[in-house]
Structures are given as C-alpha cells and as structure tokens.
C-alpha cells in the first residue's frame, strides 16, 4: 500500500534544505549562520578546554551553505550520547556535570542546546572536508524560524507539504496510528526528537515521497535554474565515485547503461532505529525512486540493494525507450535547399549503442566537414579514430518550435596514447571540448533543430556553417 506511513529519518534534511531555498530572498547561502542565529556566538566551551583554537567551532566562518552541505566541520550529534553506558564496558565514570540533561527521554530543547552545545568540539575548520552532522540541520531549522517568524513545523506545512498535497507526510507523529507501518514492540514510531526535528523526524509514505521527488525534478516550487543549482555537488569525498550535495549523497555509476557512460544518482538515505529509507533522483532520466522499510530485519545495505535491483532493471528499459523516441524524432537525412557549384550540403543522423545522435555524414558544399572539423581540432597531427555525436543542451524555444543541440568530436584512444597518468584516465571530456571551433562568431558545434507541433524534427540549422537543412527522410517520415 503506497499510502502506508513510515519514519524516513534523514530524508527530512531534503525538506529542510527546500524550506531554506524557498526563502532565497531573505537567506543568502554565503552569509555566516550567526547573521540569523546570533546565539551561537554565546556558546560556552567546557572549562577543561585550555585552547579554544582547536576545540571551539568558528561560527563566524560557518555559512548557511556549509551547514546544508556537511562542510561546517561541526559535531555530528547533540542528543545522542553514550552516557547511559557509564561505568559499563570499561568506560570511565562521569561526574554529574558531565552527564547530559536531555536526550531520548526527555527530548532536548533549544534551551538545552544553547546551554551545552559549546562543550562539543569542532571536527574541522569550515570547508575543510565534508563530515556528516545532524546538528547542522537542527541549526538550519533555527534559521528558517528566524526569517519566517514561524515554527519550523508551521512553515514546512505552509510552504511545502500543503502546496504539494502531501497528506501522509508530517514532521510530527500522525494522529492516526492506523496509517503507520509500526514494528512490534518499537518505540521509534512515537520518538520525539525535540529541537532536532529538522534533521530527521519526518513521517511519509511511498506515494508522498515519489510525488515530492517529482516536484523537485518538475520545478513545482522552485524555478528551473534554482533546481539545477540545487542538484549539483558541493564537495568530494575520499571515495572517487561519491560526492556530497545539499544535502544529497551523490553516487556516480557507469554500470547501468549499455554505453557505460556515467549516471549521477542524487540520493538521501534515512535511518530511525528500525526504519530505513532511501530517496533517489536521477535527473538525466527524470526518474524518482524511493524505498521505505520497517522492522528489525531491515537495514541500510538491504535498502541500497533493493534500489540497485530496481535501477538496474528500469534504467536500461528507459534508455531503450528513449533511443526509440529519438530515432523517431531525429534520425534520417537532412538536405540543404540550395546547391552550389562546389556540391550539395547534407547530414545523416542515426542511433547506435553509443550516447546521443551519431552524425554519420556531414557535407558542406560537397566537402566532408566531419573530417575537416577533426583535422582542425587535431592539427598539426592527422585525425584518427574520431566520430561526431550530438547532445541536447536543454535550451528550448518558449513556443517549443526549436531546440538546441551541440556536437562533440570524440577521439578514441590510440596505441600511443599515454596509459598511466597522475589521475584515472577518461576520454569523455566533452565539457572541455565544446564551443572551440568558431567561424564568424558562431561555433561549428551549434545545431538548432526546428520541430513540428508534436516535437518531431523537420529541419536543422548549423549556425557555424551557415547551413539550413530540411529533413527529407527519417523514421517518422515517408521517403520523399
């Protein structure tokens, strides 16, 4: 049942960041957090700390962005403390002043936080390296409350949950327990996380989280450029294929498509004792995936394994469907309406197992322009093992009548290519090669397709070559 409600743990952090982004006119992400929560400057360190230079958080250097991107270098937890194990398992005894006054029971309040958090030690200086912090998002909850003059719960419901009609999603426990997936003898369903609600308290259903993910990719609450900026990494990690966003855990995979190209998975996992959850966005395909589980049998690796099985099944099918649609909409022959004394101008496009559209022929006034283009690029060496492919840029005319693509020359490695470099070798450096050959202020790789009312290409303009061509044969057309 897609309406069954689970606790989703740290997926809450995605909602918290969205709440911040919706206040972009009042919140500058490069501002120090102390501009919004000046109480942080009054935190008192532990009397035992002799050198605050290496123990105290440098709050005036901690920005909103650093907190949202796990780059603040601040402690991970406040409420969670192993003091309950004092005098056990070889731990030294704690004095009464060292024992936290709050935690799971009773939950911690903002008063508790501002009184005691200064005793926790900094991990890094801000922007040194990502380090996971739950407390960072509780502080961001304070920021939202400061600029909206509302409780975080009130603002979240008003700005996000109600506009998106997420009726089974809430920061607090649902009134109706019959909605919930509640493991036997579990206290997690009723656990109150106090002031730390913005970092991991939420309840939601599969149906609601899928709708929430789609709302991000479809720009329901943000402008498209804001969404594009949000779905970008903010830092690397020690793992070469894992990056950190705000608050995304970004994984890069090259084993889910036939052509082996890199696909970015924007994920956020969540754990609340017996509850384990995962939200996955794949912007390239407009795909949203969520896995919610409950019970002692559930685990983070199990959730990740389920998500892997689903993506390995779905993405190849989507890839195949996308290629068939592109074949219908673009494949075929394009010809210029005029012929010069030097010859004709034409272009043939096809689909193969590689990415994008393959340009199998491109002539300008009878000259092979793919070879000419490759010769200019590789000068003074003769071009070898090259191909030309087209990729959409996302630039579409407001009326939908035209769309921009860019051409990319790809040179396959040769036997004399260097095998060992100080970095892992990858020949896909399209970001570096685009817009290089310019002729009369227009790039060779600038292609603009004209579309009919159903989105099918009927012509193309090669702006660098001053060519306009009409589609004369294709999958969606009869031969003329």
């Amino acid at each position: 049942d897609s309406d069954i409600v689970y606790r989703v743990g740290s997926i809450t952090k995605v909602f918290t960041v969205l709440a911040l982004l919706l206040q972009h006119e009042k919140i500058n992400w490069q501002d120090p957090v102390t501009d919004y929560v000046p109480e942080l400057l009054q935190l008192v360190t532990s009397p035992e700390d002799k050198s605050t230079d290496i123990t105290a958080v440098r709050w005036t250097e901690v920005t909103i962005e650093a907190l949202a991107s796990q780059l603040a270098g601040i402690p991970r937890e406040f409420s969670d403390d192993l003091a309950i194990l004092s005098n056990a398992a070889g731990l030294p005894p704690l004095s009464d002043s060292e024992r936290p006054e709050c935690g799971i029971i009773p939950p911690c309040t903002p008063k508790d936080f501002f009184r005691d958090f200064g005793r926790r030690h900094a991990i890094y200086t801000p922007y040194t390296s990502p380090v996971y912090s739950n407390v960072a998002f509780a502080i961001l909850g304070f920021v939202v409350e400061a600029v909206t003059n509302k409780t975080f719960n009130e603002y979240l419901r008003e700005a996000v949950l109600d506009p998106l009609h997420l009726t089974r999603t809430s920061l607090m426990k649902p009134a109706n327990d019959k909605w919930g997936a509640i493991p036997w003898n579990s206290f997690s369903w009723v656990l109150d996380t106090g002031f730390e609600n913005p970092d991991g308290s939420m309840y939601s259903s599969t149906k609601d989280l899928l709708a929430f993910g789609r709302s991000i990719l479809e720009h329901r609450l943000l402008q498209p450029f804001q969404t594009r900026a949000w779905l970008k990494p903010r830092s690397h990690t020690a793992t070469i294929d894992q990056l950190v966003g705000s608050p995304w855990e970004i994984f890069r995979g090259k084993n889910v498509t036939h052509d082996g190209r890199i696909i970015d998975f924007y994920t956020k996992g969540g754990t609340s004792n017996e509850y384990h959850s995962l939200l996955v966005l794949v912007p390239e395909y407009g795909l949203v995936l969520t896995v919610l589980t409950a019970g002692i049998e559930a685990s983070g690796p199990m959730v990740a394994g389920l998500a892997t099985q689903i993506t390995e099944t779905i993405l190849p099918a989507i890839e195949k469907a996308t290629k068939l649609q592109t074949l219908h909409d673009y494949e075929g022959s394009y010809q210029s309406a005029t012929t010069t004394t030097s010859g004709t101008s034409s272009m043939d496009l096809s689909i193969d197992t590689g990415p994008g559209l393959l340009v199998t022929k491109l002539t300008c006034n009878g000259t092979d322009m793919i070879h000419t283009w490759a010769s200019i690029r590789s000068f003074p060496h003769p071009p070898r093992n090259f191909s030309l492919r087209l990729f959409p840029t996302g630039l579409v005319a407001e009326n939908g009548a035209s769309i921009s693509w860019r051409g990319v020359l790809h040179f396959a490695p040769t036997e004399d290519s260097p095998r060992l470099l100080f970095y892992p070798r990858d020949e896909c450096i399209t970001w570096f090669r685009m817009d290089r050959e310019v002729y009369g202020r227009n790039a060779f790789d600038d292609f603009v397709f004209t579309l009919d009312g159903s989105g099918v290409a009927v012509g193309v303009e090669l702006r660098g070559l001053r060519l306009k061509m009409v589609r004369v044969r294709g999958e969606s057309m009869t031969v003329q």
Side-chain angles (χ1 to χ4, degrees), residues 4-12 104 168 170-174 179-183 186-194 196-206 209 269-278 290-295 303:
I4 292 178
V5 175
Y6 300 75
R7 295 210 77 161
V8 298
S10 285
I11 292 177
T12 305
I104 297 176
R168 294 292 178 105
S170 59
L171 197 65
M172 314 303 291
K173 185 182 80 67
W179 290 0
I182 307 176
S186 170
F187 72 94
S188 301
W189 178 256
V190 298
L191 181 64
D192 182 359
T193 56
E196 293 187 80
N197 283 345
D199 74 59
S201 176
M202 292 193 77
Y203 300 74
S204 192
S205 67
T206 301
L209 275 186
T271 297
S272 181
N273 298 306
E274 301 98 330
Y275 292 93
H276 299 270
S277 54
L278 183 66
T290 185
V291 180
L292 306 181
T293 63
V303 168

Side-chain angles (χ1 to χ4, degrees), residues 263-478:
I263 304 295
D264 292 332
F265 298 85
Y266 284 75
T267 79
K268 189 69 198 80
T271 297
S272 181
N273 298 306
E274 301 98 330
Y275 292 93
H276 299 270
S277 54
L278 183 66
L279 173 67
V280 181
L281 306 185
V282 191
E284 182 170 343
Y285 291 95
L287 178 67
V288 181
L289 166 67
T290 185
V291 180
L292 306 181
T293 63
I296 59 173
E297 303 87 355
S299 67
M302 184 188 82
V303 168
L306 288 171
T308 299
Q309 291 180 34
I310 295 170
T311 55
E312 287 180 343
T313 301
I314 290 178
L315 285 188
I318 295 176
E319 178 86 356
K320 182 178 180 179
T322 301
K323 283 184 176 292
L324 288 173
Q325 188 65 49
T326 304
L327 180 73
H328 174 272
D329 292 347
Y330 292 94
E331 180 267 347
S333 296
Y334 297 75
Q335 288 187 359
S336 174
T338 59
T339 301
T340 67
T341 55
S342 300
T344 61
S345 299
S346 63
M347 179 175 69
D348 288 350
L349 301 179
S350 67
I351 295 287
D352 62 1
T353 57
L357 282 165
L358 177 64
V359 183
T360 57
K361 183 178 78 169
L362 174 59
T363 60
C364 178
N365 299 324
T367 299
D368 181 353
M369 286 306 300
I370 301 179
H371 188 275
T372 298
W373 189 350
S375 298
I376 294 171
R377 175 69 60 83
S378 61
F379 182 83
H381 307 289
R384 292 185 293 172
N385 301 329
F386 58 89
S387 62
L388 175 61
R389 293 182 181 274
L390 305 185
F391 298 91
T393 65
L395 297 172
V396 183
E398 187 173 357
N399 62 3
S402 58
I403 183 171
S404 168
W405 291 56
R406 285 280 174 156
V408 176
L409 272 176
H410 176 71
F411 292 85
T414 59
E415 292 184 0
D416 57 352
S417 298
R419 305 225 186 278
L420 296 176
L421 300 172
F422 67 88
Y423 55 87
R425 186 174 182 86
D426 193 335
E427 292 300 318
C428 188
I429 53 172
T430 56
W431 68 273
F432 185 75
R433 290 174 171 165
M434 295 174 70
D435 205 53
R436 282 181 62 177
E437 286 74 34
V438 177
Y439 184 64
R441 305 296 186 188
N442 286 284
F444 275 11
D445 62 10
D446 192 354
F447 293 70
V448 178
F449 287 91
T450 304
L451 310 178
D452 65 14
S454 58
V456 173
V458 294
V460 64
E461 179 181 4
L462 287 67
R463 295 199 276 198
L465 299 179
R466 275 62 177 180
L467 287 177
K468 290 185 178 181
M469 301 183 187
V470 176
R471 190 181 184 194
V472 295
R473 182 181 59 79
E475 178 71 19
S476 62
M477 309 173 66
T478 58

